[in-house]
């Protein structure tokens, strides 16, 4: 007997849990399959000390608070995982853990929906929601060969400083992962080099409000498309109570800043001459948030405290005014590299014609080109917030409503009255 269900959700991270909540609210029978445990990536794919980037009042679903944390606390990753587990229990989400989906294809001609081949046998579903995460496959640029005698790991495999060999570490990538890992290594007394690419670095707090609040009231979480410029990462940190990322201040504490890592030859790394430009653009982004916040305060007559110190940007350190463009790894004592260079998605198990030439899903707000198929949790799926905790909940609602609408069309049985003859 083939198991049958109206909607099959694949993955029980935050996206799968949110989807289950909205499908239940809409009365749609469904099943969530998770190959490991609920919120597995928060449990086992992140470093030991990671805390949420946003405070507890913000980085959560509307239906439940973090009970044992103050609203302004940055919740440790294990507690984030526990939160989603408790949430799933609260909404009675029909999640089956330890069940992997190995392939999804269209049902045979003449039968609606899809067939999912799973570790527990085939399942037929009219609707399939792919909620397998945006940060699936670590990407390491093909620059330094494994034979170079250097320990190389991706940020996904980084756990703590003790895992690295003695000696200096090069961290490549200036997004939240790269900068937080570099700072942790610096605190642990390590010699650290940080390769800084284009980035945004919003203020952690400004005039008494966290940046998540500013991005909210300024409608920036709801921005519908990424800036048309080159890809920029966002450098924020909730570690140690949260603070604004300022690369120059890290340099004051002993870290050496480098431009974008470009090449490796004979033990020598080459960096682009773009460090100063990357920092200047990061400052521009930072100051633009302050300006917009000031304008918002003035326009709305808010009584929020002044914060003139926020506009003080330290002078460029030596490593910025005289950037290192070539670095002999042995001379610099570098024994490890951490690549905080992002992730790619792998949808090769979806045997459906719904991808463009680069392998990205063709969709509109998560509604795939293939009728009946949905994606959830993609970066910029409908807006900037889509791949974040609070944003995915709203996208899940949109998808559940879309499925309800589609079921409404299919429920239409036609008029019982014969249509009058027009002639
Ligand atoms: C280092 C890091 C820190 C982050 N910090 C924050 C933060 O502080 N705040 C925030 O809002 N966002 C944060 N994010 C972004 C985002 O919230 C997380 O990546 C989150 O885990 C995404 O949730 P998801 O449910 O979309 O995907 P995932 O958490 O990746 O969940 C997907 C699930 O699908 C399962 N799965 C995959 N394939 C299959 C299959 N074939 N069959 C069955 N199950 C399958 C996986 O086991 C997994 O449990 C962070 C991301 C990273 C990488």
């Amino acid at each position: 007997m083939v198991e049958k269900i109206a909607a099959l959700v694949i993955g029980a991270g935050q996206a799968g849990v949110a989807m289950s909540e909205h499908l239940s609210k809409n009365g749609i029978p469904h099943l969530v399959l998770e190959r490991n445990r609920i919120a597995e990536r928060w449990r086992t794919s992140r470093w030991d000390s990671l805390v949420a980037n946003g405070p507890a009042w913000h980085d959560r679903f509307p239906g439940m608070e973090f009970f044992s944390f103050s609203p302004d606390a940055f919740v440790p990753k294990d507690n984030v995982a526990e939160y989603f587990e408790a949430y799933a229990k609260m909404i009675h989400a029909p999640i089956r853990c330890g069940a992997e989906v190995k392939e999804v294809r269209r049902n045979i001609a003449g039968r609606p929906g899809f067939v999912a081949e799973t570790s527990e046998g085939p399942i037929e579903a009219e609707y399939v929601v792919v909620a397998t995460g945006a940060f699936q496959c670590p990407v390491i640029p093909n620059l330094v060969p494994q034979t170079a005698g250097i320990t190389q790991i991706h940020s996904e495999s980084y756990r703590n400083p003790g895992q690295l060999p003695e000696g200096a570490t090069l961290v490549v990538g200036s997004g939240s992962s790269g900068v937080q890992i570099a700072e942790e290594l610096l605190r642990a007394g390590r010699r650290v080099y940080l390769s800084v690419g284009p980035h945004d670095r919003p203020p952690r707090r400004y005039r008494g409000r966290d940046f998540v609040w500013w991005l909210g009231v300024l409608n920036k979480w709801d921005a519908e498309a990424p800036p048309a410029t080159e890809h920029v990462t966002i450098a924020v940190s909730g570690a140690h109570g949260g603070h604004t990322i300022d690369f120059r201040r890290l340099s004051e504490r002993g870290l050496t800043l480098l431009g974008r890592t470009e090449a490796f030859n004979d033990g020598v790394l080459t960096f682009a001459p773009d460090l100063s430009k990357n920092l200047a653009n990061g400052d521009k982004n930072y100051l633009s948030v302050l300006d917009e916040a000031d304008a918002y305060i003035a326009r709305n007559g808010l009584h929020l405290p002044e914060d003139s110190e926020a506009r003080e940007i330290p002078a460029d350190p030596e490593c910025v005014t005289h950037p290192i463009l070539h670095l002999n790894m042995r001379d610099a004592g570098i024994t490890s590299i951490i690549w905080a260079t992002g992730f790619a998605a792998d949808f090769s198990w979806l045997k459906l014609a719904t991808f463009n030439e680069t392998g990205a899903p063709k969709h509109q707000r998560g509604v795939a080109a293939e009728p009946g198929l949905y994606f959830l949790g993609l970066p910029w799926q409908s807006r900037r917030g889509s791949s974040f905790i609070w944003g995915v909940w709203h996208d899940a609602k949109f998808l559940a409503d879309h499925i309800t609408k589609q079921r409404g069309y299919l429920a239409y049985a036609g008029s019982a009255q014969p249509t009058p003859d027009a002639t």
Side-chain angles (χ1 to χ4, degrees), residues 10-16 33-42 46-47 50-54 59 99-102 131-135 177 343 349 376-377 387-390 392:
I10 307 171
Q14 63 212 29
L33 293 189
E34 165 56 51
R35 65 181 170 198
N36 290 312
R37 295 169 293 176
I38 294 170
E40 184 64 32
R41 287 218 168 84
W42 282 101
R46 283 152 201 181
W47 60 94
L50 179 76
V51 298
N53 282 331
D59 277 17
E100 181 168 20
V101 176
K102 295 175 180 297
T132 49
F135 308 99
S177 294
F343 297 82
W349 49 278
L376 184 58
S387 56
F388 298 100
I389 293 171
W390 79 267
V392 80

Side-chain angles (χ1 to χ4, degrees), residues 274-294:
D274 60 357
L275 177 58
S276 180
K277 183 180 105 188
N278 293 338
L279 292 186
N281 285 340
D283 295 343
K284 219 159 111 186
N285 163 262
Y286 168 80
L287 292 168
S288 75
V289 178
L290 304 193
D291 290 344
E292 286 186 59
D294 284 342

